[in-house]
Amino acid sequence: MLDPVLLRSFLAVVQTGGFTRAAASLHLTQSTVSQQVRRLEEQLGAELLDRSGRYVVTTTEGERLLGYANRIVALMDEAMLALGQSAVEGEVRLGVPDDFAANSLTPYLADFADAHPGIRLEITSGLSHDVWRAFNAGELDLALIKQRAGSAKGLASWAEPLAWLDSRARPVLARNPVPLAVFPPNGLYRLEMTHALDAMGKPWRIAYVSSSLPGVSAAAEGGLGLTLLPRRLITSEHRELGEAEGFAPVAPVEVALHARNQLPGYARELAAALIEACEGIMSPALSSS
């Protein structure tokens, strides 16, 4: 008999590339995870992991077991969910951009949490650059990010139209050089903004920097700097700039949902809910562009 507890530890090590990260994801000690994998290897009479390199990888036998282990664990999770067991143990780690973290996704995430009281839902919000880095490091199961169109294929993607925004009450457009409200370096809209202004021949200077989307938006509203943000985030305090003011349109970025391989059933269910949520969020943005 294959112990699902041991299989979960084996899968966690493979998915994260090491015992330390696997232990953190399972909320166990590293020695416990190591012992559980050793017990599984003893049961099967085969070495499943190659521990000699910087990252732990599967041996030939471990790769052969991997598909079975994923299916066994996923089927057990699905069986427990189907039987209405609220004590199912599991976790989904989700990363989202700041502008999706608040009201936009809250109803869908709350519905998921209500339907799966035994599943720990861990949500991290921040700049897409940081969310993407955490996903690639194995720290997230699902990542909703802003990216340049076509840069990385995900489960689903949507175009995100952008808009040049000035203050309606205290416009800064006429200043030379024009002040900008931007995200820190590697913030997605920052490069788009500066490259576009350079191409238009408009002198600019960085006047306000914030890693918070509400902060950048408020800076534009209050006249601290021009900015470039998703069109769906325009407020009554913003003035959108267009060709009449000499501002050429900027190509849309892409909102994409990424998922790690071999998600358990409950995580796939959350991914489907996120896709439904994004369809609703992004459709108005596209229709208004």
Coordinates of all heavy atoms in Angstrom, one line a residue, residues 2 4 7-8 10-12 14-15 58 62-78 260-265 268:
L2 N 0.6 2.2 -0.9 CA 1.3 3.5 -0.9 C 0.6 4.5 0.0 O -0.6 4.7 -0.1 CB 1.3 4.0 -2.4 CG 2.1 3.2 -3.4 CD1 2.0 3.7 -4.8 CD2 3.6 3.2 -3.0
P4 N -0.5 7.9 1.2 CA -0.6 9.2 0.5 C 0.2 10.3 1.2 O 0.5 11.3 0.6 CB -2.1 9.4 0.6 CG -2.6 8.5 1.7 CD -1.8 7.3 1.7
L7 N 3.5 10.1 -0.3 CA 3.4 10.5 -1.7 C 3.3 12.1 -1.8 O 3.9 12.7 -2.7 CB 2.2 9.9 -2.4 CG 2.2 8.4 -2.7 CD1 0.9 8.0 -3.3 CD2 3.4 8.1 -3.6
R8 N 2.6 12.7 -0.9 CA 2.5 14.2 -0.8 C 3.9 14.8 -0.6 O 4.2 15.8 -1.2 CB 1.5 14.6 0.2 CG 0.1 14.4 -0.1 CD -0.8 15.1 0.9 NE -2.2 14.7 0.8 CZ -3.1 15.2 0.0 NH1 -2.7 16.2 -0.9 NH2 -4.3 14.8 -0.1
F10 N 6.8 13.4 -1.3 CA 7.6 13.2 -2.6 C 7.2 14.2 -3.6 O 8.1 14.8 -4.3 CB 7.3 11.8 -3.0 CG 7.8 11.5 -4.4 CD1 9.1 11.4 -4.8 CD2 6.8 11.3 -5.5 CE1 9.5 11.2 -6.1 CE2 7.3 11.0 -6.8 CZ 8.6 11.0 -7.1
L11 N 5.9 14.4 -3.8 CA 5.4 15.4 -4.8 C 5.9 16.8 -4.5 O 6.3 17.6 -5.4 CB 3.9 15.3 -5.0 CG 3.3 14.1 -5.6 CD1 1.8 14.1 -5.5 CD2 3.8 14.0 -7.1
A12 N 5.9 17.2 -3.2 CA 6.3 18.5 -2.8 C 7.7 18.8 -3.1 O 8.1 19.8 -3.6 CB 6.0 18.7 -1.4
V14 N 9.5 17.3 -5.5 CA 9.7 17.3 -6.9 C 9.2 18.7 -7.4 O 9.9 19.3 -8.3 CB 8.9 16.2 -7.6 CG1 8.9 16.4 -9.1 CG2 9.5 14.9 -7.2
Q15 N 8.1 19.2 -6.9 CA 7.5 20.4 -7.4 C 8.3 21.7 -7.0 O 8.3 22.6 -7.8 CB 6.0 20.5 -6.9 CG 5.1 19.6 -7.6 CD 3.8 19.3 -6.8 OE1 3.6 19.9 -5.7 NE2 3.0 18.4 -7.3
T58 N 14.1 14.0 -10.0 CA 13.7 12.6 -10.0 C 14.7 11.7 -10.7 O 15.4 12.1 -11.7 CB 12.3 12.4 -10.6 OG1 12.4 12.9 -12.0 CG2 11.2 13.1 -9.9
G62 N 11.9 7.5 -10.0 CA 11.0 8.6 -9.4 C 10.2 9.2 -10.5 O 9.0 9.5 -10.3
E63 N 10.7 9.4 -11.7 CA 9.9 9.9 -12.8 C 8.8 8.9 -13.2 O 7.7 9.4 -13.5 CB 10.8 10.2 -14.0 CG 10.1 10.9 -15.2 CD 11.0 11.2 -16.3 OE1 12.2 10.9 -16.2 OE2 10.5 11.9 -17.2
R64 N 9.0 7.7 -13.1 CA 8.0 6.6 -13.4 C 6.9 6.7 -12.3 O 5.7 6.5 -12.7 CB 8.7 5.3 -13.4 CG 7.9 4.2 -14.1 CD 8.7 2.9 -14.2 NE 9.9 3.1 -14.9 CZ 11.0 2.4 -14.8 NH1 11.1 1.4 -13.9 NH2 12.0 2.6 -15.6
L65 N 7.3 7.0 -11.1 CA 6.3 7.1 -10.0 C 5.5 8.3 -10.1 O 4.3 8.4 -9.7 CB 6.9 7.0 -8.6 CG 6.1 7.2 -7.4 CD1 5.0 6.1 -7.3 CD2 6.9 7.2 -6.1
L66 N 6.0 9.4 -10.6 CA 5.5 10.8 -10.5 C 4.0 10.8 -11.0 O 3.1 11.4 -10.3 CB 6.3 11.7 -11.3 CG 6.0 13.2 -11.1 CD1 6.1 13.6 -9.7 CD2 7.0 14.1 -12.0
G67 N 3.7 10.3 -12.2 CA 2.4 10.4 -12.7 C 1.4 9.6 -11.9 O 0.3 10.1 -11.6
Y68 N 1.8 8.4 -11.4 CA 0.9 7.7 -10.5 C 0.6 8.4 -9.2 O -0.5 8.5 -8.7 CB 1.5 6.3 -10.2 CG 1.6 5.4 -11.3 CD1 2.9 5.1 -11.9 CD2 0.5 4.8 -11.9 CE1 3.0 4.3 -13.0 CE2 0.6 3.9 -13.0 CZ 1.9 3.7 -13.5 OH 2.0 2.9 -14.6
A69 N 1.7 9.0 -8.6 CA 1.5 9.7 -7.4 C 0.6 10.9 -7.5 O -0.3 11.1 -6.7 CB 2.9 10.2 -6.9
N70 N 0.7 11.7 -8.6 CA -0.2 12.8 -8.8 C -1.6 12.4 -8.9 O -2.5 13.0 -8.4 CB 0.3 13.6 -10.1 CG 1.3 14.6 -9.8 OD1 1.2 15.5 -8.9 ND2 2.4 14.5 -10.5
R71 N -1.8 11.3 -9.7 CA -3.2 10.8 -9.9 C -3.8 10.3 -8.6 O -5.0 10.5 -8.3 CB -3.2 9.7 -11.0 CG -3.2 10.4 -12.3 CD -2.6 9.5 -13.4 NE -3.0 8.1 -13.4 CZ -2.4 7.2 -14.1 NH1 -1.4 7.5 -14.9 NH2 -2.7 5.9 -14.1
I72 N -3.0 9.5 -7.8 CA -3.5 9.0 -6.5 C -3.9 10.1 -5.6 O -5.0 10.1 -5.0 CB -2.4 8.1 -5.9 CG1 -2.2 6.8 -6.7 CG2 -2.8 7.7 -4.4 CD1 -1.0 6.0 -6.3
V73 N -3.0 11.1 -5.4 CA -3.3 12.2 -4.5 C -4.5 13.0 -5.0 O -5.4 13.4 -4.2 CB -2.0 13.0 -4.3 CG1 -2.4 14.3 -3.5 CG2 -0.9 12.3 -3.6
A74 N -4.5 13.3 -6.3 CA -5.6 14.1 -6.8 C -7.0 13.3 -6.6 O -8.0 13.9 -6.3 CB -5.4 14.4 -8.3
L75 N -7.0 12.0 -6.9 CA -8.2 11.2 -6.8 C -8.7 11.2 -5.3 O -9.9 11.2 -5.0 CB -8.0 9.8 -7.3 CG -8.0 9.7 -8.8 CD1 -7.6 8.3 -9.3 CD2 -9.4 10.0 -9.4
M76 N -7.7 11.0 -4.4 CA -8.1 11.0 -3.0 C -8.7 12.4 -2.6 O -9.7 12.4 -1.9 CB -6.9 10.7 -2.1 CG -6.4 9.3 -2.2 SD -5.2 8.9 -1.0 CE -6.1 9.1 0.5
D77 N -8.1 13.5 -3.0 CA -8.7 14.8 -2.7 C -10.1 15.0 -3.3 O -11.0 15.5 -2.6 CB -7.8 15.9 -3.3 CG -6.4 16.0 -2.5 OD1 -6.4 15.5 -1.4 OD2 -5.5 16.6 -3.1
E78 N -10.2 14.5 -4.5 CA -11.5 14.7 -5.2 C -12.6 13.8 -4.5 O -13.7 14.2 -4.3 CB -11.4 14.3 -6.7 CG -10.7 15.3 -7.5 CD -10.5 14.9 -8.9 OE1 -11.2 13.9 -9.4 OE2 -9.6 15.5 -9.6
R260 N 1.0 25.7 -12.0 CA 2.0 24.7 -12.0 C 1.4 23.4 -12.6 O 0.2 23.2 -12.6 CB 2.6 24.5 -10.7 CG 1.7 23.9 -9.6 CD 2.4 23.6 -8.3 NE 1.6 23.1 -7.3 CZ 1.1 21.9 -7.1 NH1 1.4 21.0 -8.0 NH2 0.3 21.6 -6.1
N261 N 2.3 22.4 -13.0 CA 1.8 21.2 -13.5 C 1.2 20.3 -12.4 O 1.5 20.4 -11.2 CB 3.0 20.4 -14.1 CG 3.6 21.1 -15.3 OD1 2.8 21.8 -16.1 ND2 4.8 21.0 -15.6
Q262 N 0.2 19.5 -12.8 CA -0.4 18.5 -12.0 C -1.0 19.1 -10.7 O -0.8 18.7 -9.6 CB 0.6 17.4 -11.5 CG 1.4 16.7 -12.7 CD 0.4 15.8 -13.5 OE1 -0.6 15.4 -13.0 NE2 0.8 15.6 -14.7
L263 N -1.9 20.1 -11.0 CA -2.7 20.6 -9.8 C -3.7 19.6 -9.3 O -4.3 18.9 -10.1 CB -3.4 21.9 -10.3 CG -2.6 23.2 -10.5 CD1 -3.6 24.2 -11.1 CD2 -2.0 23.7 -9.3
P264 N -3.9 19.6 -8.0 CA -5.0 18.8 -7.5 C -6.4 19.3 -7.9 O -6.5 20.5 -8.3 CB -4.8 18.9 -5.9 CG -4.0 20.1 -5.7 CD -3.2 20.3 -6.9
G265 N -7.4 18.5 -7.7 CA -8.7 18.9 -8.2 C -9.2 20.2 -7.7 O -9.8 21.0 -8.4
R268 N -7.6 23.1 -9.4 CA -8.1 23.3 -10.8 C -9.5 24.0 -10.7 O -9.8 24.8 -11.6 CB -8.2 21.9 -11.5 CG -6.9 21.3 -11.8 CD -7.0 20.2 -12.8 NE -7.9 19.1 -12.4 CZ -7.5 18.1 -11.7 NH1 -6.2 17.9 -11.4 NH2 -8.3 17.1 -11.4

